[in-house]
Amino acid sequence: MSTASLADKRTGSLRGASLPKWSPWAITAGSLVVAVGIGLAAGLDSKVQWGLIAAILFILGTFGISARVEGRRQARDRVATSLVWVAFLLAVIPLVSLIWVTVARGVKVLDLYFLTHSMGVVADSEPGGGIYAAIIGSLEQVGLATLIGAPVGILTAIYLVEYGRGRLAKSVTFFVDVMTGIPSIVAGLFILSLMLIFEMQPFGFAGSLALAILMMPVVVRSTEEMLKLVPNELREASLALGVPKWRTILKVVLPTSIGGITTGVMLAVARIAGETAPVLLLVFGNPFINNNPFEGAQASLPLYIYQQYSQSAGANAAYDRAWAASLTLIAFVMILNMVARGIARWKAPKTGR
């Protein structure tokens, strides 16, 4: 027997039996067919129930077939991979469904007129009107909140990572953790209590203050984790050259982590852009255009969506406007994230030659 044949025989004995590459697709198809049959036989009308049954059958079928052909060790590996895929689909399917429904219902009235006109004297039950005042209000309120919350959050994170020691740092970390889970209505009530003390009327900047409170802990947490990822060797090399610590942070640490910091800030912006409770308490809503966030009530996209949907009983026009405003808000957050990713790539330190 030749050496090549001996090597092939030895390799085949070590490799063992394995399922073909198309086996996961075959198991998936079989699971779907059996799940549909079980759903019809049991009288289950919900497609979600069919999908859950198919997922369970897919995992069980993968384990059974793989254990019989490849052994229990490889079967456990395939089950772990199957669980990852099932979890991925369970997360993606609702997201895709949400976007699909929002786009399908939002495009009915979403046009240039809708984006460039306000409600004015248009009644909620009448067609027409738009979200121009709500767009202006959201941009100003979220922008002012970002100008307040992002610098404070980033500087707090720098203190905790680079300087924080002792009880003060522990106290700051504790309160940041507490503020991360604070309900948005609590932030709104806090600013509202201050407004009542000073006898102030609703205005846009009050909403910005509440949104900034909600934004700060998210920025602190994300920035803190990004700063911790910067290798200490970079800091030590800069300090060994005689560079002051503040300049090391400014020229070495922050540029190295700018991509993650920008992403964290955009996540915080995305979180506050859809808040309704603080805006409802503090901004109050306004069907007319108000470009001054420091005086008078303003509109905002989340509040506009809430008001239109709450008035949509028997009024298809208000219902359509609510979905169109929702689609606009999703597009607004998506554009912000795309811009943030572009800035992060542009400002990120270049690697390689």
Side-chain angles (χ1 to χ4, degrees):
M1 185 179 292
S2 63
T3 305
S5 60
L6 285 173
D8 293 338
K9 184 177 181 181
R10 190 174 300 151
T11 303
S13 63
L14 291 175
R15 183 179 301 164
S18 61
L19 293 174
K21 294 183 178 180
W22 49 264
S23 60
W25 300 103
I27 297 173
T28 302
S31 302
L32 290 174
V33 172
V34 176
V36 171
I38 294 175
L40 293 176
L44 302 176
D45 298 330
S46 175
K47 302 299 188 297
V48 176
Q49 294 174 326
W50 294 8
L52 293 176
I53 294 173
I56 295 173
L57 292 175
F58 173 73
I59 295 174
L60 295 177
T62 299
F63 180 79
I65 296 174
S66 178
R68 186 176 182 84
V69 177
E70 301 174 319
R72 298 182 65 86
R73 181 176 181 181
Q74 184 64 22
R76 287 193 292 266
D77 179 74
R78 286 188 177 272
V79 167
T81 305
S82 301
L83 288 174
V84 171
W85 277 104
V86 169
F88 168 74
L89 291 176
L90 289 177
V92 169
I93 290 175
L95 177 62
V96 173
S97 176
L98 172 65
I99 296 176
W100 175 263
V101 172
T102 305
V103 172
R105 297 183 178 181
V107 296
K108 293 181 179 180
V109 296
L110 184 60
D111 51 19
L112 186 61
Y113 177 87
F114 182 74
L115 296 175
T116 57
H117 287 75
S118 301
M119 293 300 295
V121 296
V122 178
D124 292 331
S125 59
E126 298 177 354
I131 58 171
Y132 180 74
I135 292 176
I136 295 297
S138 288
L139 290 176
E140 292 181 348
Q141 293 159 27
V142 173
L144 289 172
T146 305
L147 290 177
I148 298 171
V152 174
I154 293 174
L155 292 175
T156 303
I158 292 174
Y159 165 75
L160 292 175
V161 175
E162 304 294 338
Y163 297 98
R165 300 292 184 274
R167 294 183 179 180
L168 179 59
K170 293 180 180 179
S171 300
V172 173
T173 301
F174 172 76
F175 283 110
V176 168
D177 293 335
V178 172
M179 289 179 62
T180 302
I182 188 174
S184 59
I185 189 68
V186 176
L189 289 173
F190 171 70
I191 300 299
L192 180 62
S193 63
L194 297 179
M195 292 174 59
L196 294 176
I197 292 174
F198 294 101
E199 299 181 354
M200 303 174 68
Q201 297 298 319
F203 61 109
F205 185 66
S208 299
L209 293 176
L211 296 179
I213 294 174
L214 299 173
M215 183 180 187
M216 287 178 194
V218 180
V219 176
V220 173
R221 271 286 161 259
S222 59
T223 304
E224 187 178 1
E225 295 302 322
M226 291 301 105
L227 294 177
K228 289 179 180 178
L229 293 177
V230 178
N232 285 328
E233 288 78 4
L234 295 178
R235 298 180 177 89
E236 294 170 357
S238 178
L239 295 173
L241 294 174
V243 180
K245 188 170 185 177
W246 69 269
R247 194 170 182 84
T248 299
I249 296 172
L250 188 63
K251 294 295 185 180
V252 177
V253 177
L254 289 179
T256 305
S257 57
I258 189 63
I261 293 175
T262 306
T263 302
V265 172
M266 287 301 104
L267 288 175
V269 171
R271 191 225 165 171
I272 66 174
E275 291 291 347
T276 307
V279 179
L280 180 63
L281 288 174
L282 306 173
V283 180
F284 207 67
N286 190 348
F288 298 95
I289 300 173
N290 179 14
N291 295 323
N292 186 2
F294 300 98
E295 182 179 358
Q298 268 193 320
S300 72
L301 282 173
L303 183 57
Y304 180 91
I305 296 169
Y306 168 76
Q307 291 174 337
Q308 292 299 311
Y309 192 82
S310 62
Q311 300 295 328
S312 63
N316 292 329
Y319 186 77
D320 294 337
R321 285 194 295 264
W323 279 106
S326 301
L327 181 57
T328 305
L329 184 59
I330 292 176
F332 170 66
V333 175
M334 185 182 300
I335 292 172
L336 281 179
N337 280 274
M338 293 175 62
V339 171
R341 289 182 179 274
I343 295 175
R345 288 190 177 185
W346 176 45
K347 290 295 185 179
K350 303 299 185 292
T351 59
R353 289 188 171 183

